[in-house]
Amino acid sequence: MVRTYGHLIDGEQIAAASGKTFPVENPATLEVVAEAADGDANDVARAVEASQTAFDRYWRRTTGRERAALLTRFAEIIASRVDQLAQHETIITGRPIREMRAQVGRIPDWYAYYAGIAQTAQEVVAPFGPQYLNYVQRLPLGVVGLITPWNHPLLILTKKLAPALAAGNTVVVKPSEFAPTTAVELAQLALEAGFPPGVLNVVTGYGPSAGHALAAHPGVAKIDLTGGTPTGKAVASVVGGRLGKVTMELGGKAPVLIFADADLDQAVAGALFAAFIAAGQTCVQGARILVEKTVYDQVTDALVSRANAIRLGDPLDPATQMGPLVSQRQLARTEQYVQIGLAEGARLVAGGYRPKEPPLDRGYYYRPTIFTDVKPHMRIFREEIFGPVTCVVPFADEEEAIRLANDCEYGLGAAVWTQDVKRAHRVAQRLEAGVVWVNDHHRIDPSSPWGGWKASGIGRENGWDAYWDYTQTRSVIVNLDPTPFDWYAGSERYS
């Protein structure tokens, strides 16, 4: 029997105000595995009202220590449910269970980390002068809205939710319509952990209806969105029109720079991981593999050989190394860009087709795809595809490698593979990216700021940066001077 998920508002799962639902499918089989409430502005308004009520009645007055205790309990409960949550995410996203267990297994770390921040964050005293005491308070924003994607549903939600709750905000989440159900499951676990009703609310639905309504709602102090750059621009325009705050984690086209002195076996393994984990559906996908000319043929041959050996299959099978794309839309986009690459004159050296053998022919599967003979002006070099497609491009020297890496509107992630420690730091300092890995890729930690330059976003997730951005300051200035002051009676002291 297909389960129907309602919105989670004020501690209860409820149907959409319209009574409508939409299907959630398994991209490996195209079977409908759930129905979710199809939210609109009415549902968003109800969720914001519940959030505001919870904030005003009690949540804004909780201490950091009280919030830390709840976050710690939340982390413990999630840790006890990793297998169930990972399986759920695998079914709705198509990502292999071995990926999702590893990813969901990290999620408790975020709540534990921000529990520590919640009870240790200190206010400051500004050096205003000897006659004044100026203390600066950090206060929650109020109701915040989180708009999250389908590629890492729980992880990306957690990167936003943990600091938002730790800072004392109440939250309305609008998850992707392709993967909405684990957000509802997570909100249920928050209630189990002891978070009061209304502190965390989830409205499922489509971006143009529920997402737009959340961005436009005047009662929402901040929108934190992860998605494509065009979506981010549209949402930022709506929020900016009412002077709300935004954090935007947007598109990417990450370069992977492989120098001749690198451990080439490890570099090839790292580049494959960068390019094809999550079927390439990540904002830091290694979409441009830049290789020093002297080892270009050797590295390209190894990449092609290993890409052709990646095992596609049932995402719930632990032996599967790559699952399907999340939707027909993503599959069509991938196929379109492969044709664009061929039309531009690039050479297809691996993949480039949908598998025909059953049962893979039922789902949104696509073989890991590699292009060579790619020039920087080509669309497959410049534009985000968000599928299992990468290109391998040679460079002559360090200067050309850096120029090629930075020749892009995006600047989220980048990686450098070399055994020369001086070069590693020298190149990392010149890459236009918010996150640079050396001899690695995709690694993340709750303490490490995450975000992009250029068209890849605004603001940061993780670390103290995210926590502070979920607060606003109040400067309290106390006059300690016993000397009477009356400006209009002749007092000359002004400051």
Side-chain angles (χ1 to χ4, degrees):
M1 182 177 177
V2 173
R3 177 177 173 182
T4 299
Y5 285 80
H7 307 309
L8 198 294
I9 298 177
D10 206 17
E12 301 288 340
Q13 277 203 47
I14 61 172
S18 66
K20 296 178 181 179
T21 63
F22 62 90
V24 179
E25 68 177 3
N26 178 340
T29 64
L30 309 194
E31 296 172 326
V32 173
V33 294
E35 295 280 341
D38 188 357
D40 58 21
N42 294 315
D43 303 291
V44 167
R46 183 171 177 178
V48 173
E49 181 181 5
S51 287
Q52 188 65 58
T53 299
F55 181 75
D56 290 336
R57 284 183 180 172
Y58 38 78
W59 193 245
R60 73 189 307 168
R61 291 189 290 274
T62 56
T63 65
R65 187 165 296 175
E66 290 168 335
R67 296 194 296 274
L70 289 170
L71 287 164
T72 299
R73 177 62 181 146
F74 196 20
E76 293 168 349
I77 291 174
I78 294 169
S80 72
R81 313 288 171 84
V82 165
D83 285 345
Q84 300 97 303
L85 291 169
Q87 181 167 316
H88 191 151
E89 293 241 299
T90 289
I91 290 171
I92 61 175
T93 66
R95 291 189 58 180
I97 189 68
R98 65 196 298 261
E99 291 182 16
M100 296 318 301
R101 280 184 181 143
Q103 187 174 102
V104 175
R106 290 295 316 279
I107 284 173
D109 295 349
W110 268 260
Y111 298 103
Y113 173 80
Y114 280 103
I117 285 184
Q119 61 186 325
T120 58
Q122 297 180 347
E123 296 172 350
V124 300
V125 175
F128 198 100
Q131 303 301 326
Y132 290 90
L133 170 64
N134 180 191
Y135 59 93
V136 182
Q137 297 176 300
R138 284 280 182 174
L139 305 168
L141 299 173
V143 179
V144 298
L146 313 182
I147 300 176
T148 60
W150 45 261
N151 56 334
H152 311 285
L154 284 178
L155 177 62
I156 291 179
L157 170 55
T158 288
K159 289 198 294 178
K160 305 175 188 305
L161 180 61
L165 293 175
N169 300 281
T170 53
V171 178
V172 178
V173 179
K174 207 300 284 183
S176 167
E177 61 270 23
F178 292 114
T181 50
T182 49
V184 179
E185 297 279 4
L186 189 70
Q188 292 282 180
L189 295 184
L191 292 169
E192 185 178 331
F195 284 89
V199 170
L200 173 55
N201 305 277
V202 179
V203 176
T204 56
Y206 293 92
S209 50
H212 182 273
L214 185 60
H217 198 293
V220 177
K222 173 182 174 175
I223 291 290
D224 191 337
L225 174 143
T226 295
T229 297
T231 299
K233 289 179 178 179
V235 170
S237 177
V238 171
V239 180
R242 57 180 183 80
L243 299 181
K245 292 185 68 173
V246 296
T247 294
M248 299 274 158
E249 203 266 69
L250 306 176
K253 193 76 173 177
V256 177
L257 287 66
I258 300 177
F259 288 91
D261 68 341
D263 179 330
L264 295 184
D265 288 340
Q266 282 294 293
V268 167
L272 284 167
F273 179 66
F276 300 124
I277 195 78
Q281 299 170 117
T282 76
C283 48
V284 292
Q285 182 210 14
R288 297 179 296 145
I289 302 173
L290 312 178
V291 184
E292 194 163 359
K293 283 182 178 179
T294 56
V295 294
Y296 177 79
D297 290 341
Q298 178 184 350
V299 169
T300 301
D301 289 347
L303 286 168
V304 169
S305 176
R306 293 205 55 191
N308 287 334
I310 291 175
R311 292 190 300 272
L312 276 63
D314 178 358
L316 290 172
D317 182 347
T320 292
Q321 295 177 323
M322 197 171 97
L325 283 84
V326 76
S327 66
Q328 174 61 45
R329 184 179 72 184
Q330 290 306 120
L331 175 61
R333 180 178 177 86
T334 298
E335 292 179 315
Q336 177 188 16
Y337 270 95
V338 169
Q339 294 306 309
I340 288 170
L342 292 170
E344 289 179 320
R347 185 162 67 99
L348 186 65
V349 293
Y353 63 92
R354 297 180 62 181
K356 303 297 185 183
E357 67 275 15
L360 301 184
D361 59 338
R362 296 175 56 197
Y364 303 127
Y365 289 91
Y366 202 83
R367 287 296 313 176
T369 298
I370 298 174
F371 278 104
T372 59
D373 295 345
V374 175
K375 307 301 181 185
H377 69 272
M378 294 181 177
R379 292 178 63 186
I380 59 170
F381 183 89
R382 312 196 69 81
E383 299 177 10
E384 186 176 41
I385 299 172
F386 226 66
V389 180
T390 192
C391 51
V392 190
V393 179
F395 63 82
D397 54 26
E398 191 174 301
E399 286 299 316
E400 185 179 21
I402 294 168
R403 180 178 58 78
L404 288 169
N406 291 338
D407 186 14
C408 182
E409 68 171 316
Y410 299 109
L412 182 54
V416 181
W417 290 85
T418 179
Q419 296 189 82
D420 182 335
V421 66
K422 292 182 179 180
R423 168 179 281 157
H425 288 287
R426 188 168 61 240
V427 173
Q429 295 301 311
R430 295 182 61 191
L431 293 179
E432 297 171 354
V435 182
V436 179
W437 294 278
V438 175
N439 298 328
D440 212 332
H441 206 100
H442 276 298
R443 306 302 177 180
I444 188 171
D445 188 84
S447 67
S448 178
W450 177 279
W453 294 14
K454 301 189 284 189
S456 286
I458 302 168
R460 291 296 181 267
E461 297 176 330
N462 298 343
W464 282 92
D465 299 63
Y467 180 83
W468 292 139
D469 208 41
Y470 276 106
T471 68
Q472 55 193 333
T473 59
R474 177 164 61 204
S475 191
V476 179
I477 303 166
V478 182
N479 183 0
L480 305 179
D481 190 349
T483 306
F485 170 77
D486 186 341
W487 180 268
Y488 295 103
S491 295
E492 297 181 356
R493 180 175 57 84
Y494 182 68
S495 61

